Amino acid sequence: MTVLGIARWLACAALFGAVAAARLGAQADGTKRWGFTVQGFVNSSPAIAEDGTIYLGVWIDSTPNRGRLVALNPDSSLKWIFPKTTEAQIDRVESSPAVGPDGTIYFGCGDGKLYALDPGTGTKKWTFDTHAAEIFSSPTIGPDGTIYIISSDLLLHAVAPGGTERWSHVAGSALADSAAVIGDDGTLYLGSSDQNVYALRPDGSERWHLGVGAALISSPAIGPDGTIYIGASDNRLHAITRDGAPKWTFLAGNLIVSAASLAADGTIYFGSLDGYFYALASDGTLKWKVNLHAQIASAAAVRADGTIIFGADDNLVHALTSSGAPKWTFQTGDIVESSPVIAADGSIYIGSFDGKLYSLFGNGAPLSTFSSWPMFNHDALHTGRVRPTTSGGYLINLSTYAQAGGGANLIAGFVVQGAASKRFLIRAVGPALEQFGVPNWLPDPAVALLQAPAGTGISSNDNWSSEGNFGPVASATFSVGTFQLPSGGKDAALAATLAPGSYTAVVGSSDGGTGVALVEAYDTEVNSGAARLVNLSARAQSGSGANVLTAGLVIGGQGTLRVLVRAIGPGLAQFGVSGVLARPSLKVYDSHQRVLESNTGWTSLGLTEDLAAAARLTGAFALSATGAGSADSATVVTLTPGTYTIQVSGVGGTAGEALVEVYGIP
């Protein structure tokens, strides 16, 4: 329920239906795609299902009050309305809908019931009656499908996907507007007007509660380190550790009713009824504030390019840069307390008290995926829970195929992270490539393993089956399941037990020859979690045709792994590398040679802030965002266990020194 009062709400005379505005000729960021008029008021935040359907709650100002849930297609065509005109009418819907794992739509209603709807038809699957006067809170969806909803009966209800109550928890005089949120370990956090923040286990038992001396009036948001951010009636944003200890507070000039949102770098954004929009550092210090001279109850949505989008009581949708500079505004017919949502294609959806849901053009940038909490209730589905920090996948191997010898660099790097040493296999393959039909292979490769960054030599090998090397290498080769090297051949390999740290394998020629070589680095103990590969890289000459720098990647484990992949040419110049590839182009293929992701120029995708955050998170060096440095390429892709290929080529047939990097993202 809005804090600004129902006196501002005007009767809506328009008939219910689409009044889709024609697409404007100019499709600039922040301009109107379409508007959909409803017979009522919109302060519910839209939710977007994976198929692109938009769901929105509506309050119809009538006696008695009525409401409905509207489902729209991305082109503004109506999918369905609940309830249909032939069905019993329901009370007002101010609750923002949430989408369950099977697509079921959940929302709270002014009649005190939680509704579950079929996504295809909009028919009612079930209702759960809290026996409360009303529900304004938005549902939260647990990883097991449990729905959590706060009602005016002063309880948090945990409801099974079938509609039966699992448990309820008394949270003092719980404020009906706020939602519970879920941390990465399954803990539920909620604020109460009894001046306590509560942390509950998934079974409803209490982990801790903390009194803050003021009623909590906004939904919590969760930072990357588990910090909980929540606004209170003392005009302060409170930061609380995941263990329940006060961290800091920040004093605004009036109430903070909107939920906080976070940028990819951890900056905390929120608006206040004092008319200011604030940006705080993670330690609670003010980075900047912007005076809009209008109350702000809308929670911001943060895009992958760093743009911050929110509504205000000046009837405008505002977009700010990450430094607080105005980017654009969009005029509506009344106040905007709805919190925006950003679709995968960059389209922006937001409601207004003028009785419309608006779709605005974006610039292609999606919602930030590197922010721990980029929008109201975390994501477009409104699950209200943070993404797990790990999904079960891990790096096993990187192999790189490129020119070596005669002054041509072929260098593989890898980083081992963990608490114990682990066994790795390093190979430099030349003659054995002939069996695969590779021409011009390097006749006599040699490999040296160095400790980075000092370049301290650890081990080296010329001919892999000589000098007592045969047994360890043969055993390691068998354990990783790769092809065997011919005994007595001139391919090079070594097996080494390595402590956590950074390493480099350098491939050269023992006889001064040149040719194509394959350098490989394998984790030979993939079932041991004591240490893991977290970064793999290779540097070599790259160009076009047969000279394309090609890297093979293997992902292991039982889940997925999100990786940052970069192709760097101009960015190598800062390390004194000459003859760099001026404009590398990057492609990531699956085992069926389908392109999963591609990029030429890392600032071209609208993902600038997210890619920069991924680099900081993984410890990768920063790439320039301006000038020649922006020609470096980068992308983020989520991979399942299997084999993948990365190709780095030169735009326009150019050639030069290039670096390909793969970072596992925690």
Side-chain angles (χ1 to χ4, degrees):
M1 180 172 60
T2 174
V3 298
L4 302 185
I6 61 176
R8 293 290 312 275
W9 298 353
L10 305 175
C12 182
L15 294 176
F16 188 92
V19 288
R23 283 178 177 259
L24 302 183
Q27 298 182 6
D29 190 13
T31 57
K32 184 178 177 181
R33 290 180 66 219
W34 50 259
F36 188 97
T37 298
V38 297
Q39 188 185 346
F41 305 102
V42 182
N43 64 306
S44 167
S45 176
I48 305 177
E50 292 182 357
D51 66 357
T53 303
I54 305 110
Y55 300 101
L56 181 73
V58 178
W59 178 353
I60 302 170
D61 188 18
S62 61
T63 304
N65 285 308
R66 292 188 293 116
R68 51 180 48 130
L69 200 288
V70 181
L72 300 174
N73 295 306
D75 63 358
S76 81
S77 60
L78 180 65
K79 191 170 182 179
W80 49 256
I81 304 167
F82 175 83
K84 297 178 175 62
T85 54
T86 56
E87 296 175 314
Q89 298 302 294
I90 62 172
D91 207 325
R92 60 198 182 279
V93 182
E94 296 188 68
S95 171
S96 297
V99 183
D102 63 353
T104 299
I105 314 306
Y106 302 102
F107 66 94
C109 184
D111 59 13
K113 295 178 182 178
L114 172 68
Y115 285 79
L117 305 185
D118 180 271
T121 62
T123 55
K124 182 171 64 178
K125 297 176 74 172
W126 51 260
T127 61
F128 172 76
D129 193 347
T130 66
H131 301 290
E134 53 203 7
I135 298 176
F136 301 122
S137 172
S138 299
T140 297
I141 312 294
D144 63 352
T146 300
I147 308 102
Y148 302 96
I149 191 81
I150 300 172
S151 65
S152 61
D153 62 359
L154 315 184
L155 296 174
L156 171 68
H157 299 271
V159 183
T164 59
E165 186 169 66
R166 287 181 167 161
W167 52 261
S168 62
H169 185 277
V170 176
S173 51
L175 207 71
D177 296 76
S178 64
V181 299
I182 304 174
D184 58 5
D185 61 354
T187 299
L188 288 98
Y189 302 100
L190 65 148
S192 167
S193 60
D194 69 358
Q195 304 186 359
N196 286 304
V197 177
Y198 291 89
L200 308 179
R201 298 180 182 88
D203 64 2
S205 60
E206 191 172 303
R207 284 190 59 202
W208 53 260
H209 68 270
L210 175 70
V212 300
L216 284 309
I217 57 175
S218 76
S219 296
I222 302 177
D225 61 353
T227 299
I228 302 101
Y229 302 102
I230 188 167
S233 61
D234 59 1
N235 301 346
R236 295 179 183 271
L237 185 75
H238 292 257
I240 302 164
T241 70
R242 65 192 308 156
D243 296 321
K247 196 170 182 180
W248 51 257
T249 64
F250 177 86
L251 180 63
N254 205 325
L255 296 177
I256 303 167
V257 298
S258 69
S261 302
L262 278 77
D265 66 357
T267 300
I268 305 133
Y269 299 125
F270 62 93
S272 168
L273 300 190
D274 65 6
Y276 281 91
F277 188 84
Y278 293 88
L280 308 184
S282 58
D283 63 359
T285 56
L286 179 68
K287 295 180 73 171
W288 50 261
K289 63 180 181 178
V290 176
N291 190 358
L292 300 182
H293 305 285
Q295 295 180 319
I296 304 167
S298 169
V302 184
R303 290 195 313 207
D305 67 348
T307 302
I308 311 145
I309 302 170
F310 58 95
D313 272 24
D314 54 4
N315 303 355
L316 295 175
V317 181
H318 293 263
L320 306 178
T321 68
S322 58
S323 60
K327 196 166 186 177
W328 51 258
T329 59
F330 175 79
Q331 179 80 47
T332 76
D334 207 327
I335 64 174
V336 184
E337 294 189 354
S338 172
S339 298
V341 62
I342 301 171
D345 65 357
S347 300
I348 303 156
Y349 298 95
I350 190 168
S352 169
F353 275 36
D354 66 4
K356 292 182 180 179
L357 172 68
Y358 290 96
S359 175
L360 309 182
F361 287 108
N363 65 355
L367 188 71
S368 173
T369 61
F370 280 89
S371 164
S372 64
W373 205 269
M375 62 168 285
F376 171 75
N377 251 23
H378 184 266
D379 50 58
L381 299 173
H382 289 170
T383 63
R385 66 177 189 270
V386 298
R387 182 184 63 84
T389 55
T390 180
S391 297
Y394 49 81
L395 299 172
I396 292 178
N397 155 253
L398 179 74
S399 56
T400 306
Y401 170 85
Q403 193 75 17
N409 297 301
L410 178 51
I411 303 170
F414 56 98
V415 176
V416 181
Q417 190 177 81
S421 297
K422 203 171 189 183
R423 194 80 166 163
F424 291 88
L425 172 66
I426 313 298
R427 307 202 305 182
V429 183
L433 295 177
E434 184 177 18
Q435 63 184 305
F436 301 108
V438 177
N440 305 318
W441 37 266
L442 185 65
D444 194 2
V447 62
L449 181 63
L450 311 176
Q451 175 89 53
T456 306
I458 296 174
S459 183
S460 62
N461 178 256
D462 182 3
N463 300 322
W464 78 274
S465 58
S466 63
E467 302 170 358
N469 200 43
F470 178 88
V473 170
S475 175
T477 301
F478 177 80
S479 70
V480 299
T482 189
F483 65 93
Q484 295 285 338
L485 301 176
S487 179
K490 292 195 173 185
D491 301 294
L494 56 89
T497 299
L498 302 176
S502 301
Y503 300 90
T504 301
V506 181
V507 177
S509 173
S510 293
D511 62 4
T514 61
V516 172
L518 178 72
V519 59
E520 302 174 297
Y522 288 93
D523 179 348
T524 69
E525 302 173 31
V526 296
N527 293 322
S528 169
R532 290 284 189 217
L533 289 171
V534 294
N535 162 233
L536 300 165
S537 62
R539 177 185 146 198
Q541 284 283 317
S542 184
S544 59
N547 294 320
V548 168
L549 172 58
T550 303
L553 176 68
V554 179
I555 304 295
Q558 299 299 316
T560 60
L561 178 67
R562 193 165 56 155
V563 296
L564 169 66
V565 184
R566 309 201 302 180
I568 300 170
L572 292 174
Q574 62 185 300
F575 303 106
V577 178
S578 59
V580 300
L581 186 61
R583 190 167 178 78
S585 182
L586 170 68
K587 290 184 178 180
V588 181
Y589 298 84
D590 66 11
S591 59
H592 301 289
Q593 290 304 295
R594 294 175 296 203
V595 177
L596 301 178
E597 293 287 346
S598 62
N599 175 245
T600 303
W602 76 281
T603 59
S604 66
L605 295 176
L607 307 176
T608 310
E609 290 295 321
D610 271 12
L611 289 171
R616 289 190 296 268
L617 185 63
T618 57
F621 66 88
L623 300 177
S624 172
T626 59
S630 62
D632 296 308
S633 297
T635 188
V636 170
V637 58
T638 299
L639 303 177
T640 56
T643 59
Y644 300 88
T645 303
I646 304 164
Q647 287 190 347
V648 179
S649 58
V651 174
T654 56
E657 198 79 9
L659 176 70
V660 59
E661 297 181 303
V662 180
Y663 293 87
I665 300 172

